[in-house]
């Protein structure tokens, strides 16, 4: 049911998407926002001043809440752990998302997530509990990636890169149109429309998860809560409104199901193993035709994969020693299938160029422009990891095709 009241503050609120749902004796007031909108932040202040609430729920998870409340949270980032746990892609993607949101916000002089901060500050001023209801971004991205194929993954990566590198300014009325979407969805809007698995993971699943969190928090609060303000991206408003009216499953098992990662599709590993096996067989066949012929093929493999990885490390701005490590490690890929080629070169880069306090302080600003990714030691290490892997992959295809041509 849309809010059409004309009480103090209603002029501003009338322009905001608001729905009200009553369930189990609790009224949920769903306020749809754009995460980089001045009007959305003002609307949060207005509705908190206009109506009494017993709790405030916000579209944040615990890690994002801590980052928002503690601007120095990035200082706890351990690059070696990120590399060891193979979370480079997730960290880089999170930084790209943050950069996209920050770039838009800076055009209009408003902090990213200002409406969430307004909700937190308003709740604390009124001594109200704050409910963190969103699913962690890392889980959302992993579930999305697991659900889509190779070419869709490349589309997602291209979308991230395109939004990150674009310097086109966005009109404020376009920012307000984000009320029809979501921060994650806004980056991949066209892709998500064409890819049901991507939309399901990034939007629909989170609608169900946030609804389950609301029900769980309401159950824990018992009789002390009768009215809750729910501050969410407006792209989630309709989905949560519907889920609040229809969701019947127990909240705890439902949340558990929505954070579990789908099993990895075996085809990627099978294809990779088949390619390596085919190349190895080709080299073996060439050895049967002559030691020199086989040796030349083996050197072709070493040089193509090694040089590809080394060039990738150098293009990322890595130290020459990082490139040397990449060159040495890349040809050994078939003997360590579970270890990315870029892990060793990135670890070397992090050891040689340990992040300084200034790098942590400027990380959020640096990643809003493409040059900053190379300037900042933290983001540059992530690039060394990613571009080393890409370079090794290019070298693998060049070597493989050349070796197979010699066999045929």
């Amino acid at each position: 049911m849309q809010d059409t009241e004309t009480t103090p503050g209603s002029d501003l609120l009338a322009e905001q998407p608001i729905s009200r749902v009553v369930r189990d004796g609790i009224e949920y007031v769903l306020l749809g926002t754009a995460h980089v909108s001045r009007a959305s932040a003002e609307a949060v202040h207005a509705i908190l001043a206009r109506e009494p609430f017993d709790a405030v729920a916000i579209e944040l998870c615990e890690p994002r809440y801590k980052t928002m409340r503690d601007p120095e949270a990035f200082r706890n980032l351990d690059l070696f752990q990120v590399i060891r746990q193979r979370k480079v892609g997730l960290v880089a993607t999170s930084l790209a998302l943050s950069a996209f949101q920050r770039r838009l916000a800076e055009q209009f002089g408003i902090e990213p997530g200002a409406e969430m901060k307004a909700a937190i500050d308003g709740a604390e001023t009124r001594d109200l509990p704050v409910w963190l209801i969103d699913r962690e971004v890392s889980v959302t991205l992993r579930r999305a990636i697991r659900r889509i194929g190779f070419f869709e993954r490349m589309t997602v990566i291209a979308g991230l890169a395109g939004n990150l590198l674009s310097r086109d300014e966005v009109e404020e009325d376009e920012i307000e149109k984000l009320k029809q979407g979501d921060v994650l969805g806004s980056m991949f809007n066209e892709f998500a429309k064409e890819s049901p698995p991507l939309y399901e993971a990034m939007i629909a699943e989170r609608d169900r998860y946030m609804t389950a969190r609301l029900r769980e928090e309401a159950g824990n609060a018992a009789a002390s809560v009768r009215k809750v303000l729910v501050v969410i991206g407006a792209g989630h408003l309709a989905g949560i409104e519907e889920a609040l009216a229809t969701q019947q499953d127990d909240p705890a098992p439902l949340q558990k199901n929505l954070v579990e990662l789908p099993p990895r599709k075996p085809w990627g590993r099978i294809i990779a193993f088949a390619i390596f096996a085919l190349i190895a067989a080709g080299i073996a066949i060439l050895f049967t035709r002559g030691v020199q012929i086989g040796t030349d093929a083996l050197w072709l493999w070493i040089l193509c994969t090694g040089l590809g990885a080394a060039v990738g490390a150098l293009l990322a701005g890595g130290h020459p020693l990082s490139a040397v490590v990449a060159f040495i490690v890349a040809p050994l890929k078939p003997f360590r299938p579970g270890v990315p080629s870029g892990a060793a070169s990135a670890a070397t880069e992090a050891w040689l160029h340990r992040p300084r306090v200034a790098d942590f302080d400027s990380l959020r600003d640096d990643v809003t422009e493409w040059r900053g990714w190379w300037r900042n030691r933290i983001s540059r290490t992530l690039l060394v990891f990613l571009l080393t892997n890409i370079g090794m992959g290019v070298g693998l295809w060049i070597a493989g095709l050349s070796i197979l041509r010699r066999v045929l």
Side-chain angles (χ1 to χ4, degrees):
M1 180 176 68
Q2 296 294 320
D3 185 2
T4 57
E5 298 176 38
T6 57
T7 53
S10 60
D11 288 344
L12 173 62
L13 293 174
E15 301 175 1
Q16 311 303 312
I18 300 176
S19 290
R20 299 173 185 270
V21 179
V22 177
R23 175 171 180 154
D24 301 326
I26 298 175
E27 180 183 7
Y28 297 94
V29 181
L30 310 179
L31 173 61
T33 68
H35 297 313
V36 286
S37 166
R38 184 180 298 106
S40 291
E42 293 171 352
V44 171
H45 286 299
I47 197 167
L48 281 170
R50 190 183 80 170
E51 301 183 34
F53 293 97
D54 301 309
V56 176
I58 55 177
E59 185 193 326
L60 289 178
C61 58
E62 187 70 30
R64 281 186 289 161
Y65 173 79
K66 289 181 178 178
T67 299
M68 183 172 289
R69 302 306 282 169
D70 180 11
E72 298 184 354
F74 269 114
R75 292 190 179 187
N76 297 321
L77 182 68
D78 186 332
L79 274 179
F80 290 102
Q81 284 292 341
V82 169
I83 296 167
R84 188 177 299 113
Q85 296 174 9
R86 300 173 64 179
K87 294 183 178 180
V88 171
L90 289 172
V91 173
T93 302
S94 296
L95 286 173
L97 286 167
S98 174
F100 171 73
Q101 186 176 346
R102 191 176 184 87
R103 179 170 62 84
L104 293 178
E106 286 177 349
Q107 291 181 211
F108 308 105
I110 184 171
E111 291 182 271
E115 87 292 3
M116 296 298 165
K117 291 182 180 180
I120 295 169
D121 293 341
E124 291 179 348
T125 299
R126 294 165 176 80
D127 198 26
L128 302 177
V130 176
W131 298 352
L132 308 177
I133 62 172
D134 200 7
R135 185 172 66 182
E136 288 192 22
V137 172
S138 62
V139 174
T140 295
L141 293 175
R142 285 181 176 181
R143 285 180 66 94
I145 291 299
R146 293 277 182 94
R147 289 175 179 272
I148 60 180
F150 174 79
F151 292 105
E152 286 181 307
R153 292 184 188 185
M154 294 302 100
T155 301
V156 168
I157 293 172
L160 275 170
N163 280 291
L164 178 63
L165 300 180
S166 173
R167 304 310 300 169
D168 295 337
E169 292 201 352
V170 181
E171 298 297 329
E172 190 158 10
D173 61 347
E174 292 296 319
I175 295 294
E176 289 301 312
K177 288 181 182 178
L178 286 178
K179 286 190 174 66
Q180 307 306 317
D182 171 81
V183 171
L184 283 174
S186 66
M187 291 199 71
F188 315 115
N189 189 36
E190 294 303 318
F191 316 136
K193 288 178 181 177
E194 299 171 3
S195 173
L198 197 59
Y199 177 85
E200 175 70 13
M202 290 190 169
I203 306 298
E205 283 187 355
R206 290 168 62 211
D207 291 344
R208 298 195 294 274
Y209 182 89
M210 286 191 278
T211 300
R213 285 284 298 124
L214 284 170
R215 294 172 55 214
E216 180 181 58
E217 291 285 2
N220 293 337
S224 62
V225 172
R226 283 290 172 262
K227 188 173 183 179
V228 180
L229 173 63
V230 185
V231 182
I232 49 175
H236 293 290
L237 191 148
I240 293 178
E241 181 180 13
E242 179 182 359
L244 276 172
T246 61
Q247 194 177 92
Q248 298 299 328
D249 295 338
D250 188 348
L254 181 56
Q255 290 175 66
K256 182 180 179 181
N257 181 58
L258 290 172
V259 298
E260 290 179 345
L261 296 180
R264 289 181 179 273
K265 296 179 181 179
W267 298 113
R269 292 185 178 182
I270 293 173
I271 292 172
F273 177 79
I275 291 173
F276 285 126
L278 192 61
I279 293 172
I283 294 175
I285 292 172
L286 291 175
F287 265 107
T288 66
R289 298 177 184 177
V291 174
Q292 187 60 49
I293 296 175
T295 302
D296 289 344
L298 186 59
W299 273 111
L300 179 64
W301 165 262
I302 293 172
L303 290 174
C304 285
T305 55
L307 286 175
V311 169
L314 291 174
L315 287 176
H319 190 280
L321 185 56
S322 300
V324 171
V325 171
F327 179 87
I328 295 172
V329 172
L332 303 175
K333 175 65 176 175
F335 304 102
R336 43 177 186 75
V339 182
S341 301
S345 57
T348 303
E349 184 67 24
W351 176 66
L352 291 170
H353 290 151
R354 291 183 179 274
R356 303 159 298 189
V357 172
D359 292 305
F360 288 100
D361 291 341
S362 63
L363 180 60
R364 289 179 178 276
D365 294 322
D366 287 340
V367 296
T368 59
E369 57 174 346
W370 68 270
R371 292 184 183 87
W373 283 79
W374 275 261
R375 181 172 60 246
N376 189 289
R377 292 187 176 191
I378 300 170
S379 53
R380 187 170 65 221
T381 299
L382 303 180
L383 285 177
V384 168
F385 179 95
L386 297 172
L387 294 187
T388 295
N389 288 336
I390 292 173
M392 188 274 171
V394 172
L396 181 152
W397 283 102
I398 294 174
L401 292 174
S402 299
I403 290 170
L404 292 178
R405 274 201 299 267
R406 295 184 183 191
V407 171
L408 300 175

